[in-house]
Amino acid sequence: MATLEPKAINPPVWLLSALAIAVGFAYTSASLNFSKPSLPVQLPLYEQVAEVAEQNHEELPTVQHNLGQYLYQYFAANTNHQAYFRLLDGESETARYSQDDVAYNLLPVTACDLTPYEDRQSGQLVLKIKNQKIIVVEQIASSEQTADQHRYLVIALAAPAKPLRTLDTGTNQFSVEYRRHGDNKNQSSQEQYQLIGCDQLDAWGQQPVSPKVTFDLDISSDNKASLNLHKSKRRSKEELLVIVKGLKKQFADLDISEEVPITYAPVDLAKEMADLIYEGNGKQAKFLLARAWPANKPGKAAFSQAFYSELAKGAFHKEQSALNRLCAKG
């Protein structure tokens, strides 16, 4: 009996070619998937900059201001360092300020009293006084036990930067204002920068007396900064008598306490007197007290003593006392 031999299956050439192409494509795809990483997700611009800074072990400033030749950078406190600000001249650091448990704020300039001049200074950060370029930086110290304590650093932009003056205002906050007095025809018009704020006399409770406080910022011939209380013009007698008339009407509605002499008079009397005193018009404050107090009402001496006692507790008592002594001599 004859044995049957299996016949070899010979696939057509075209089928073999197709299989070879398929295997080669699969191998190439697998090779590409392993050799090429996936494309990264596109980050927003700020995050890209932050990522680069992190890779270079650099920290981005919390706040940054271009001051022309100089650059102001503030870095908030973090786990690596306390808060600080620095001034750069190009790429060189010309000054750095830091202190435990404080924050810093570069103050802008508010323009006022410019009519008929164009308001060109509003929002500026650099003060220009006698060819000096100056910035004012608020230093805020705070803790859980105390309220915010403010200091104002007057710093000359130079290489290196120079601290010219520090004003300690306690809990009182100040802003910088630019004023220009005169008109287009007056060649003697003056430009002036001032620190404007208030003092706080808290003895009046729900109606605190907050006299306006104005410091003139100037530079002396030896390039030192001075911060002196602004001397205002004397009020006219007519203006004072209008205030007197309004105060007399308030005396009839007083809710006084026999143990608290401050309540013997309307709180507006204390407000008006304090404003006059901080303007250097202490004599006019006494005139207001004498004229506004009703002739048939006792307690004027006790109120006066209590008022001046509270005034002496103000943060700027020394300055306003010196200003009034100077004005009394003049």
Side-chain angles (χ1 to χ4, degrees), residues 139-157:
Q139 176 180 295
I140 310 163
S142 61
S143 67
E144 295 180 356
Q145 291 77 25
T146 61
D148 291 347
Q149 302 290 313
H150 298 260
R151 285 186 172 184
Y152 292 85
L153 314 177
V154 182
I155 301 170
L157 293 179

Side-chain angles (χ1 to χ4, degrees), residues 202-209 267 271:
D202 294 327
W204 277 265
Q206 297 301 316
Q207 293 181 298
V209 174
V267 68
K271 289 180 179 179

Side-chain angles (χ1 to χ4, degrees), residues 115-306:
T115 306
Y117 290 98
E118 181 183 355
D119 179 356
R120 296 177 181 174
Q121 295 290 327
S122 182
Q124 296 296 313
L125 298 165
V126 180
L127 290 60
K128 298 178 182 178
I129 308 175
K130 294 182 180 178
N131 298 321
Q132 281 264 34
K133 291 184 178 180
I134 294 169
I135 58 173
V136 177
V137 180
E138 179 185 18
Q139 176 180 295
I140 310 163
S142 61
S143 67
E144 295 180 356
Q145 291 77 25
T146 61
D148 291 347
Q149 302 290 313
H150 298 260
R151 285 186 172 184
Y152 292 85
L153 314 177
V154 182
I155 301 170
L157 293 179
K162 301 175 183 177
L164 300 178
R165 177 71 193 272
T166 300
L167 178 65
D168 192 345
T169 67
T171 59
N172 303 296
Q173 292 181 266
F174 279 69
S175 60
V176 181
E177 291 189 1
Y178 169 80
R179 298 175 183 269
R180 187 170 186 176
H181 306 277
D183 53 42
N184 288 329
K185 297 180 181 179
N186 185 0
Q187 298 299 321
S188 63
S189 61
Q190 295 181 344
E191 296 184 351
Q192 190 173 50
Y193 288 98
Q194 296 177 326
L195 266 62
I196 309 290
C198 294
D199 202 354
Q200 304 295 328
L201 308 181
D202 294 327
W204 277 265
Q206 297 301 316
Q207 293 181 298
V209 174
S210 303
K212 184 178 180 181
V213 180
T214 302
F215 284 93
D216 293 332
L217 178 56
D218 201 1
I219 302 295
S220 62
S221 58
D222 55 353
N223 291 329
K224 291 184 179 180
S226 63
L227 283 168
N228 300 312
L229 275 181
H230 178 72
K231 169 66 176 76
S232 298
K233 293 181 179 179
R234 288 174 58 86
R235 309 275 188 95
S236 68
K237 186 175 181 180
E238 291 75 17
E239 184 181 0
L240 291 177
L241 290 176
V242 170
I243 298 174
V244 165
K245 185 177 180 180
L247 290 172
K248 282 187 173 181
K249 294 179 180 179
Q250 296 184 34
F251 270 93
D253 301 324
L254 281 180
D255 183 15
I256 68 171
S257 170
E258 294 296 335
E259 295 80 18
V260 186
I262 287 172
T263 66
Y264 292 2
V267 68
D268 283 349
L269 175 58
K271 289 180 179 179
E272 295 288 354
M273 290 177 63
D275 279 338
L276 285 166
I277 291 169
Y278 272 86
E279 295 173 0
N281 292 318
K283 287 184 177 180
Q284 292 193 314
K286 293 179 179 179
F287 172 89
L288 202 66
L289 175 63
R291 291 297 186 94
W293 202 279
N296 60 348
K297 178 177 174 57
K300 181 170 70 174
F303 169 83
S304 179
Q305 182 178 354

Side-chain angles (χ1 to χ4, degrees), residues 73-133:
Q73 292 183 330
Y74 169 67
F75 297 82
N78 58 36
T79 55
N80 297 320
H81 61 74
Q82 60 196 17
Y84 70 93
F85 76 90
R86 66 180 183 177
L87 292 167
L88 300 178
D89 181 4
E91 296 183 355
S92 301
E93 182 177 288
T94 184
R96 179 182 292 223
Y97 292 80
S98 65
Q99 193 172 329
D100 292 339
D101 300 321
V102 302
Y104 296 96
N105 177 36
L106 178 60
L107 294 188
V109 181
T110 302
C112 58
D113 290 356
L114 296 181
T115 306
Y117 290 98
E118 181 183 355
D119 179 356
R120 296 177 181 174
Q121 295 290 327
S122 182
Q124 296 296 313
L125 298 165
V126 180
L127 290 60
K128 298 178 182 178
I129 308 175
K130 294 182 180 178
N131 298 321
Q132 281 264 34
K133 291 184 178 180

